[in-house]
Amino acid sequence: MLRPTLYIILAALMLLSSCKQSKDIVYLADMEPTQAYTFKADNETIVKANDLLSITVSCRKPELAVPFNVRNSAVSINAEGDVSTTGSGVTPETGYRVDKRGDITFPVLGKIHVAGFRLTQIADIIREKIIDGDYIKDPQVSVDLLNFKYTVMGAVAKNGTFSVDGDRVTLLEAIANAGDVLPNGKTTNVKVIREVDGKRMVLEHDLTSREMFDSPFYYLKPNDIVYVEPKYKSKERENRGWQISSFIVSIASLGVSAIWAFRR
């Protein structure tokens, strides 16, 4: 009776293995624990035409910053120093669109050229203009990007376009937001597609190697496309077909073994 029982156990193991649809994916396999690795810290987004910016001005006397935080409205100050606004009241949450010349129209200050600058640089430019105009002595300026979006396609759990709360997202974060790489995805060949000076550039990345951190595309830019190449052309036909075939063979083997065991 031991021999039929052995066949049943083997058949059951085959059945379980055929139902296993994925294997563990090992990222950064060549990194050693406790080992320090350098990375490129200069990854701040460069503003370009058609970007949408959120700009907020603040100071110790909030009423002085009101004119810089309200658009398309008239600002008035009464005898007590209270500030009030009239008009459409479009607030900075709407965002400042960078025009094709790379400029924005900012309250009080007028036209400001922002294309080609980092967000922190734009904040410094606005701050200096406010001080030079003797409007506020110690303004605090915050600039954020409102339209940072990227797309993930290919062998990931969730294809689509994603938005970023801020101006920074890494390739690994983008993959994680898309639900991780599927079992049929090539972790050694993940492409990032970016438009640079009107041309498309493609750079391949190996998610199993620390060399990924050295890539100029590791930190994504707005409108980047991440493409995870599948290991084969038709996942549904080849991968699932193989699993179904293995499942049927395992069931048949288990059935034959069971019948043989009971007849013995």
Side-chain angles (χ1 to χ4, degrees):
M1 291 295 292
L2 291 177
R3 189 173 180 183
T5 302
L6 179 61
Y7 283 139
I8 293 175
I9 294 174
L10 291 175
L13 291 174
M14 290 176 61
L15 176 61
L16 292 174
S17 63
S18 67
C19 293
K20 183 177 177 61
Q21 297 183 1
S22 64
K23 60 181 180 180
D24 293 334
I25 298 174
V26 180
Y27 295 106
L28 306 171
D30 59 352
M31 293 188 72
E32 297 294 335
T34 72
Q35 178 69 34
Y37 297 92
T38 59
F39 69 96
K40 296 180 180 179
D42 185 16
N43 50 64
E44 191 176 355
T45 298
I46 303 296
V47 172
K48 61 183 184 303
N50 207 41
D51 276 346
L52 190 63
L53 304 178
S54 170
I55 304 176
T56 304
V57 178
S58 60
C59 63
R60 286 181 291 183
K61 294 183 177 181
E63 63 274 11
L64 297 179
V66 170
F68 300 96
N69 293 319
V70 180
R71 301 171 59 189
N72 301 328
S73 297
V75 179
S76 61
I77 303 177
N78 60 24
E80 287 74 27
D82 297 326
V83 179
S84 61
T85 62
T86 59
S88 61
V90 180
T91 60
E93 284 73 12
T94 307
Y96 298 88
R97 180 72 63 180
V98 182
D99 64 24
K100 61 181 180 181
R101 293 179 295 274
D103 300 332
I104 61 170
T105 301
F106 195 72
V108 182
L109 303 179
K111 290 279 187 180
I112 300 177
H113 188 74
V114 296
F117 294 102
R118 295 178 173 86
L119 299 179
T120 52
Q121 291 175 321
I122 296 172
D124 289 339
I125 291 172
I126 295 175
R127 182 176 183 275
E128 290 175 4
K129 286 181 176 293
I130 293 175
I131 294 175
D132 292 342
D134 201 22
Y135 300 110
I136 305 175
K137 292 183 179 180
D138 57 346
Q140 301 297 318
V141 182
S142 174
V143 182
D144 294 303
L145 191 64
L146 295 178
N147 63 331
F148 195 133
K149 295 182 179 181
Y150 63 91
T151 301
V152 183
M153 304 172 59
V156 293
K158 183 172 61 175
N159 281 239
T161 299
F162 302 83
S163 298
V164 176
D165 184 14
D167 67 324
R168 180 183 300 181
V169 63
T170 67
L171 177 56
L172 285 179
E173 289 171 333
I175 294 293
N177 291 338
D180 209 350
V181 177
L182 294 176
N184 70 315
K186 290 184 178 179
T187 54
T188 57
N189 188 11
V190 175
K191 297 179 174 65
V192 176
I193 306 168
R194 177 175 299 172
E195 184 175 332
V196 180
D197 297 329
K199 298 180 180 179
R200 294 284 184 182
M201 291 185 62
V202 180
L203 208 60
E204 296 180 351
H205 301 79
D206 183 353
L207 301 186
T208 67
S209 173
R210 66 174 181 268
E211 293 181 358
M212 169 181 56
F213 293 131
D214 297 326
S215 169
F217 286 16
Y218 175 68
Y219 285 94
L220 300 186
K221 300 294 184 182
N223 303 316
D224 276 358
I225 299 174
V226 178
Y227 176 66
V228 180
E229 184 179 352
K231 295 177 182 177
Y232 29 79
K233 294 182 179 179
S234 177
K235 181 189 73 172
E236 295 297 328
R237 291 184 179 181
E238 297 187 27
N239 189 36
R240 186 173 296 177
W242 179 85
Q243 291 176 357
I244 293 175
S245 299
S246 299
F247 180 78
I248 293 175
V249 170
S250 299
I251 287 291
S253 177
L254 180 60
V256 171
S257 299
I259 294 173
W260 184 25
F262 284 120
R263 286 184 176 180
R264 299 278 298 189

